[in-house]
Structures are given as C-alpha cells and as structure tokens.
Amino acid sequence: MEAVLVIVALIFIAALVLGAYATVKAVGAAKRGVDRTVAQARRTVEDTTLRARSFAPQGTASELAQLRLKLRTSMRATQDALHARVGEDTTLQESLGLFSRLSVHGHELDGELKRLETEPDKAHVRNLLPDLRARTEQITTSADALRHAARDRASHFAGDDLDALSAQIDLEAGALRHWTAPDARPAAPEASDTAGKVQQPARPAITPPGVRPVYPWQKKPRPESTT
C-alpha cells in the first residue's frame, strides 16, 4: 500500500513539474510574441515618421530621414531575402555571415543618423552629411549586391530545374504520340489430316473488305429512313 501511495505521489509531483514547465514555456512564447509585435509596431511608426520627414522641404532633417530610410529599407530587404532562401540553399550561410558583419556597420550608422536628428547645431550636421552619404551608399550597395546575387542564384537554379522538367515532358509527350498499329494476327494454318480427317476452315486474319470493325465505344448507327 505504501508503494502505491509513493507512486501516486511521484506521478502527482511529475504532473505539477510538467505543468509548471509548460506554463513557463507558454509565458515565454507569449512574451516573445508580444515583444515581436511591439518591435514591429515601433519600426512601422518610425518608418512612417521618416517618410513624412523625407518629404519635408529640403534641409538637414529631411536628408537625414532620407538616408535612414534608404539604409533601413535596403538592409531589411536583404535580411528577408537571405533568411527566406538559406533553408533551401545552405551555401548562403556564408552570405548571412557577411551580412551580419555588415549589419554592425548599418546599426552604427543608423544610430548616428538618429542622434543627429536632435543635434541643435545644424551647421555641424551639414558638415557631416558628405561622409554620412558616402557611408550610407557603401553599406546599401553591399547589401543590395548580396540580395541581388541571392535572387539571381535562386532564379538560375529554378530555370535549370524548369529546363530539365520541360525536356522530360517533351520526351514523354513524344513517347505518348509514338504509336504503331497492332500487328495483324497471323492466319490460322489449315488443318490437314493425312489420315482423311475433315479440314477445319481457317479464321480470317483481318476484317473482310467492305466490312468496318465495330468498337465497343462507338455509337450504334441510326437506321436509314425508308421514306
């Protein structure tokens, strides 16, 4: 009896532990989901604000917004393109490594541009703009090169697969069209019996002239009108 009670107690404790573990996992997953939603909402608001500023009359604030928007758009598009294809093409792992290193410079530049948005010394900001433009162009050019190369690679392999599939379909279609008429069955040899047996009439090998064969899928002919 004591052994049964111990087993029941262990099962109960195990159920509690598993329940607590499942609860912690669920809370963690929910928290990560909330964090992703908040981060996405924050990015959306920030991108909308940058677009609004980029359309403002030309000035340091407008140019800073344009540089940030260009940088963020290029980096995000490249990140999405690489992550979307790395599962199908493991050779892109090296490209992801290079992009991670490039992202460090991208985050640093984005942070610097963001800080300069609140810089009261606009003359100082204008002096920094040529270098900021050059760095933005260098980072986005590299990001675009990785993204375009990944897409070109995927398109090349997709084209090769489509060419091979089309060739196979052409061969199969040709095989389906290559038919020959069934060989006519040879006429049955005439049975002759030297002992004086009656000869059996031979079966005709083909349909006699003037008689068309009737196949089971054909409709029955309509009777001709006698009127």
Side-chain angles (χ1 to χ4, degrees):
M1 186 65 182
E2 292 180 358
V4 174
L5 293 176
V6 170
I7 293 174
V8 172
L10 290 175
I11 293 175
F12 180 73
I13 293 172
L16 288 178
V17 171
L18 289 175
Y21 176 76
T23 301
V24 171
K25 293 288 287 184
V27 171
K31 183 178 182 302
R32 287 191 296 272
V34 171
D35 291 342
R36 285 194 298 269
T37 302
V38 171
Q40 179 64 35
R42 186 181 294 114
R43 284 196 299 268
T44 301
V45 171
E46 195 166 9
D47 288 347
T48 302
T49 303
L50 289 175
R51 288 190 181 91
R53 289 177 180 173
S54 66
F55 290 119
Q58 192 63 30
T60 55
S62 175
E63 185 156 4
L64 288 173
Q66 291 174 13
L67 292 177
R68 288 192 69 196
L69 194 59
K70 179 179 180 180
L71 176 67
R72 292 158 66 92
T73 301
S74 176
M75 296 296 285
R76 190 175 301 145
T78 302
Q79 176 179 269
D80 293 343
L82 293 177
H83 281 286
R85 292 174 173 82
V86 71
E88 303 172 358
D89 188 355
T90 56
T91 58
L92 292 179
Q93 288 288 355
E94 184 176 354
S95 299
L96 274 176
L98 293 173
F99 179 74
S100 296
R101 293 172 56 189
L102 184 66
S103 295
V104 174
H105 296 278
H107 284 298
E108 181 181 350
L109 176 59
D110 185 64
E112 186 174 350
L113 292 170
K114 185 176 182 179
R115 287 189 297 271
L116 289 174
E117 289 175 347
T118 57
E119 172 60 47
D121 189 351
K122 300 305 179 183
H124 176 65
V125 176
R126 284 194 294 270
N127 291 332
L128 295 176
L129 279 176
D131 177 66
L132 296 171
R133 290 192 207 101
R135 289 167 60 191
T136 302
E137 185 66 26
Q138 185 176 9
I139 293 174
T140 56
T141 298
S142 297
D144 293 345
L146 281 175
R147 184 175 70 255
H148 296 159
R151 288 176 176 170
D152 291 345
R153 180 179 176 84
S155 299
H156 175 74
F157 285 129
D160 287 348
D161 183 65
L162 181 58
D163 291 341
L165 178 60
S166 298
Q168 291 178 355
I169 291 175
D170 290 341
L171 288 175
E172 179 65 16
L176 291 174
R177 292 191 182 97
H178 183 70
W179 61 79
T180 57
D183 295 337
R185 290 185 298 177
E190 294 184 0
S192 59
D193 193 339
T194 56
K197 293 183 179 180
V198 179
Q199 293 183 348
Q200 297 294 330
R203 290 182 62 187
I206 59 175
T207 305
V211 179
R212 299 182 60 186
V214 178
Y215 300 103
W217 56 82
Q218 288 181 324
K219 295 181 180 180
K220 294 183 179 181
R222 295 182 179 177
E224 297 183 0
S225 175
T226 58
T227 59

